[in-house]
Amino acid sequence: MAEQKSNIKSGLEITYYTDPLCCWSWGFEPQWRRLLYELNDKIRYRYCMGGLLPKWKNYNDNLNSVTRPIQMGPVWMHAKEISGMPMDYNIWMRDPPSSSYPACLAVKCASIQSLRAEEKYLRMVREELMINGKNISNRAVLFEIAEKVEKEIPGFDAAIFKEDFKNDAALDAFKKDLQEIQYHRINRFPTLVIRSANKKGVLISGYRPYPLLIESIHNLTDLKLPKKINRETYTKYWGSLTERELREIE
């Protein structure tokens, strides 16, 4: 799992605006993970939780014509077809999440302990939703994920996570994320804002192919990337990968 480095060589900083419930963010995982792997100690990055679905009452996604849970299924079917990532779109008929706020708050709770914990938790909450069809608006599911993270991330304490979640220890951090998204008028996930110390930032909004990401970064700084990524080393680095994520590095 990637760690933040103090000696950032390129001066690049990336803010990733996303949401655990966002199917396009999940579809973007192959590109995002490859980017983190190839740039490694050349960037500094952070996650900003989007609060995609506060609640279904008065929810209206004009872009996708979604006002009810059952209407989200076709959106996921389309995202699955385009991205190639596995998605259990039947959850919107079987056990639809009522909100993405609990999962966003859970990710912020994990971030209190470390970036590694935050990143691992975000990945696992996506997997439980998209692959295993778990309802991530359910507190019990979020706590189960924390227990899984505890087994994989040294120093992460699931008990502390649960207390932080119950006591709203990360609520202010989540509110700041929502305020930042509103201030910058981020209305689509995933969105990346890539900044360089010497040049203006670049905003990349929506699902995008990897070459476009690299082209945008090369416009900001001159980075040398590995010519070929070893499949075994890449798998060991991340721990869990979908077949689509492996195809991204071929």
Side-chain angles (χ1 to χ4, degrees):
M1 187 67 68
E3 280 278 23
Q4 289 285 46
K5 307 291 183 179
S6 58
N7 56 335
I8 306 300
K9 298 176 181 178
S10 67
L12 283 182
E13 295 188 358
I14 299 178
T15 302
Y16 184 11
Y17 299 95
T18 185
D19 188 286
L21 199 60
C22 175
C23 60
W24 289 109
S25 291
W26 170 246
F28 185 66
E29 281 285 273
Q31 297 94 306
W32 175 241
R33 281 188 147 189
R34 180 178 177 183
L35 185 73
L36 293 184
Y37 183 84
E38 291 198 318
L39 298 186
N40 195 11
D41 64 343
K42 300 178 178 66
I43 60 171
R44 187 185 304 278
Y45 63 95
R46 67 184 181 89
Y47 295 94
C48 188
M49 294 298 104
L52 177 66
L53 175 64
K55 55 185 177 180
W56 280 106
K57 185 178 181 181
N58 300 324
Y59 179 79
N60 187 5
D61 179 352
N62 291 320
L63 180 64
N64 296 300
S65 300
V66 174
T67 58
R68 296 179 294 127
I70 197 169
Q71 295 172 322
M72 193 70 81
V75 176
W76 280 32
M77 289 176 68
H78 178 61
K80 178 180 180 179
E81 181 180 353
I82 297 297
S83 70
M85 288 287 277
M87 296 185 198
D88 184 2
Y89 48 81
N90 286 320
I91 191 173
W92 294 108
M93 293 184 290
R94 185 181 66 251
D95 187 16
S98 59
S99 170
S100 71
Y101 274 38
C104 287
L105 186 59
V107 172
K108 301 309 291 187
C109 283
S111 74
I112 293 174
Q113 299 194 40
S114 71
L115 172 67
R116 287 193 70 194
E118 177 186 24
E119 193 160 55
K120 188 66 176 179
Y121 192 94
L122 178 58
R123 171 66 184 203
M124 282 190 160
V125 81
R126 293 199 207 275
E127 289 179 353
E128 290 299 309
L129 171 67
M130 300 292 179
I131 298 177
N132 300 325
K134 297 287 187 66
N135 186 339
I136 61 169
S137 63
N138 188 320
R139 177 180 292 201
V141 171
L142 298 175
F143 286 1
E144 288 174 4
I145 295 170
E147 291 168 1
K148 292 180 180 179
V149 172
E150 184 177 54
K151 296 177 181 178
E152 297 200 25
I153 302 298
F156 180 78
D157 192 318
I160 292 176
F161 169 92
K162 293 174 184 177
E163 284 303 313
D164 286 342
F165 188 91
K166 293 174 183 176
N167 297 329
D168 291 333
L171 186 58
D172 285 344
F174 180 38
K175 286 181 179 179
K176 288 180 180 178
D177 281 4
L178 295 177
Q179 290 169 357
E180 181 177 336
I181 284 170
Q182 184 177 16
Y183 178 78
H184 292 294
R185 298 180 181 177
I186 305 295
N187 53 22
R188 190 177 180 187
F189 305 118
T191 289
L192 300 181
V193 173
I194 308 172
R195 296 183 178 88
S196 167
N198 302 318
K199 298 182 180 180
K200 291 183 178 180
V202 172
L203 184 146
I204 302 173
S205 184
Y207 179 85
R208 294 291 184 267
Y210 192 71
L212 186 146
L213 300 181
I214 293 302
E215 180 183 354
S216 299
I217 287 174
H218 279 158
N219 288 334
L220 294 175
T221 185
D222 183 23
L223 292 176
K224 293 182 179 180
L225 302 177
K227 294 182 179 180
K228 186 173 178 60
I229 298 176
N230 181 275
R231 184 184 177 109
E232 183 178 346
T233 304
Y234 193 68
T235 301
K236 184 178 180 181
Y237 182 83
W238 287 115
S240 65
L241 291 165
T242 64
E243 284 299 317
R244 170 62 183 85
E245 287 174 312
L246 288 170
R247 290 199 302 271
E248 182 65 39
I249 65 171
E250 293 176 350

